[in-house]
Amino acid sequence: MPERPAPGRRRSYQTTLLVVAVVAAGLNLRTAITSLPPLFPDLSARLHLSPAVLSLLATTPVICFGVVSAFAAWINRRWGEERVLLVALILLTAGLLLRGVSPSIMLFPGTALAASAIAVLNVLLSSMVKRRWPARAGLLVGIYLTALSVGAILSSLISVPLYQASGGSIPLALGVWAGPAALAVLLWLPQLRYGMPTVTRSAADPVPASPMLASPVPASPASAADPVSAADPVSASPVSASSVSASPVSVNTAPARIKLYRYALTWQVTAFMGLQSLLYYAALSWLPTIFQDRGSSAVAAGNLLALMAVGNFATSLLVPVLAHRAPSQRALVVPSLIGTAVGLAGSLWAPLGTAPLWILVLGVSQGSCLGLAIFFMMARAPDPGTAASLSGFAQSVGYLVACAGPLEVGLLHTATGSWNIPMVVLLILAGCELAVGVLAARPLVLPDAPGGYGGTGSPPVLGGYPRGVRGDGSPRERRAARRG
């Protein structure tokens, strides 16, 4: 018999596979989107796209995020995160290939398919992280946001030079990003072993008090005897039906759901998510055009967009870790929104030679806001199931709000012939985001669903209930959460 690997080595290997898979997925979360704006002038000339059509193209990904995010939690409860995420990566690859093969016909359908897949990845990656590695959730979220920023940097930096080096090949400039997505599909395959199991029990056994399983159950006696392994969701082994009961009766592992829309905290997290997305996608879509209108070349404008992604990179790893360690995140929210407003204003009204400074400030601040938005969706939920639902709700409503950003900037510019009015509107919205961010940053957690973790006495993974709130879905708790 071959010698089995030691539990510590096995856990290390499985942790490495998880981190690699999350990084590969995160790397592809923005390439389909950030590769387009630097090419807008060329796409307009080559494909005969009007300014209104370009505005619609810039808004298409955000609309898809809003619509598809609403169904992500339901899909997760039906098939499990790991499987759904694999299918999403496959669809992302297909969408990028389609718009690369025939840009004149498939530019909008391919972009919509790729953005819909990214919407599912946006929602379920954070809830999977909370379930698989709760003790290091902030770190792993920071890692995948860092990979997201790297992907945005590369796609912004390479799009225009690749287009020019290929002799003006739009199919190559758009379709090349299907390669990293296909690689992510391959790297994700090992994670299928660790999806949420369908637990079985004997017909004579009582129904467990908490049907929600936060992580796969170790199947082997060796794992059960190892307390570290049993407590480590990353290294848990896949469960089989025969290892649970000889007389299987299916048990629903999904927790009872609460009505998220009834709680003020839900709307605060949602508003913060929506406004930060609106500001990000408005800047992402139109800053290259703004800089070209001010006299920059297409390559320089693409480089400035890449510099904004470098700023995202600088804070994407640090902010979730800091947020995880602090009971309240107000000290992170306030400077992030001040920096966002300063960066936006400087990008338009400061001298063009200082644009790199303001773009870097904007990128750092927006990366911090994105990290906080993702963290809030985990930290304000008492268990992974509620986290997936909160993430789906916040991203669905939030992105539907955010789709007004690129559209509003484009249409106001067309109507006024100036970028001043659109920028003033964005600065007002930054002030609104600051207000809701201060509320969302308080150390509150939504009440647990009946029969969820709170009812069994298990503490929430992240954040903390306010004083006097038990997390058991009691009337007192629900009133406190509704008041926000």
Side-chain angles (χ1 to χ4, degrees):
M1 295 283 294
E3 183 179 352
R4 295 181 61 183
R9 183 181 302 176
R10 184 174 67 251
R11 289 195 302 273
S12 177
Y13 173 72
Q14 293 165 344
T15 301
T16 301
L17 286 180
L18 175 63
V19 172
V20 168
V22 169
V23 168
L27 192 68
N28 291 277
L29 289 181
R30 291 295 179 269
T31 54
I33 304 166
T34 54
S35 59
L36 286 177
L39 296 172
F40 273 177
D42 298 291
L43 292 174
S44 177
R46 293 281 301 277
L47 302 180
H48 309 291
L49 303 179
S50 67
V53 174
L54 281 180
S55 298
L56 182 59
L57 179 61
T59 310
T60 296
V62 191
I63 295 174
C64 293
F65 288 172
V67 173
V68 177
S69 296
F71 302 96
W74 176 81
I75 297 171
N76 169 46
R77 288 191 295 269
R78 191 172 182 87
W79 286 288
E81 286 156 340
E82 283 78 4
R83 291 181 182 179
V84 174
L85 289 170
L86 176 64
V87 173
L89 288 170
I90 294 172
L91 294 177
L92 172 59
T93 305
L96 293 172
L97 280 174
L98 285 175
R99 78 178 191 183
V101 169
S102 181
S104 59
I105 299 174
M106 300 304 299
L107 179 60
F108 274 87
T111 299
L113 179 59
S116 299
I118 292 172
V120 175
L121 290 161
N122 283 337
V123 173
L124 297 186
L125 272 174
S126 58
S127 64
M128 190 205 71
V129 165
K130 185 180 180 78
R131 173 173 61 86
R132 293 282 299 277
W133 206 2
R136 295 290 184 270
L139 175 62
L140 195 51
V141 166
I143 290 173
Y144 104 71
L145 290 178
T146 299
L148 179 152
S149 301
V150 170
I153 292 170
L154 292 176
S155 57
S156 302
L157 201 60
I158 294 175
S159 291
V160 173
L162 182 62
Y163 172 78
Q164 295 175 345
S166 62
S169 174
I170 292 179
L172 179 61
L174 295 180
V176 68
W177 305 108
L183 178 60
V185 171
L186 297 177
L187 294 175
W188 194 264
L189 291 174
Q191 300 308 313
L192 294 180
R193 300 180 58 205
Y194 304 102
M196 285 289 291
T198 300
V199 180
T200 57
R201 62 182 177 86
S202 170
D205 292 339
V207 177
S210 177
M212 175 69 185
L213 294 180
S215 61
V217 179
S220 66
S223 299
D226 181 5
V228 176
S229 176
D232 185 0
V234 177
S235 62
S237 303
V239 71
S240 64
S242 60
S243 66
V244 182
S245 171
S247 176
V249 176
S250 177
V251 174
N252 181 16
T253 60
R257 288 175 287 166
I258 63 172
K259 296 179 179 179
L260 294 173
Y261 63 86
R262 299 176 61 183
Y263 299 98
L265 182 58
T266 298
W267 290 103
Q268 291 154 10
V269 172
T270 299
F272 186 82
M273 177 67 198
L275 289 173
Q276 73 85 22
S277 298
L278 186 153
L279 295 175
Y280 173 78
Y281 285 104
L284 177 71
S285 300
W286 293 111
L287 279 180
T289 305
I290 289 175
F291 288 126
Q292 290 184 60
D293 287 351
R294 296 187 64 192
S296 294
S297 66
V299 174
N303 291 342
L304 286 171
L305 193 63
L307 183 61
M308 187 176 79
V310 170
N312 297 162
F313 173 85
T315 51
S316 57
L317 179 60
L318 179 62
V319 168
V321 175
L322 294 177
H324 196 156
R325 295 180 177 180
S328 171
Q329 290 77 40
R330 293 178 181 177
L332 296 171
V333 167
V334 174
S336 298
L337 268 302
I338 292 175
T340 297
V342 170
L344 286 171
S347 298
L348 179 60
W349 294 313
L352 187 59
T354 63
L357 170 63
W358 306 115
I359 280 292
L360 189 60
V361 170
L362 177 62
V364 168
S365 303
Q366 288 187 329
S368 177
C369 289
L370 176 61
L372 287 169
I374 299 297
F375 177 81
F376 289 157
M377 288 183 282
M378 289 194 310
R380 302 304 173 245
D383 56 71
T386 306
S389 297
L390 178 59
S391 179
F393 183 89
Q395 295 196 47
S396 176
V397 177
Y399 281 126
L400 288 176
V401 171
C403 70
L407 197 60
E408 165 259 324
V409 172
L411 294 180
L412 282 178
H413 172 66
T414 302
T416 63
S418 169
W419 295 107
N420 292 326
I421 299 300
M423 186 60 69
V424 170
V425 173
L426 293 181
L427 293 177
I428 293 173
L429 293 174
C432 296
E433 185 184 354
L434 175 60
V436 297
V438 169
L439 295 174
R442 294 173 298 166
L444 301 176
V445 175
L446 289 168
D448 201 353
Y453 283 117
T456 64
S458 299
V461 176
L462 295 173
Y465 293 103
R467 181 174 297 178
V469 176
R470 300 187 300 277
D472 57 1
S474 65
R476 180 183 181 186
E477 174 186 302
R478 293 180 183 275
R479 287 193 298 270
R482 289 192 192 102
R483 288 194 300 269

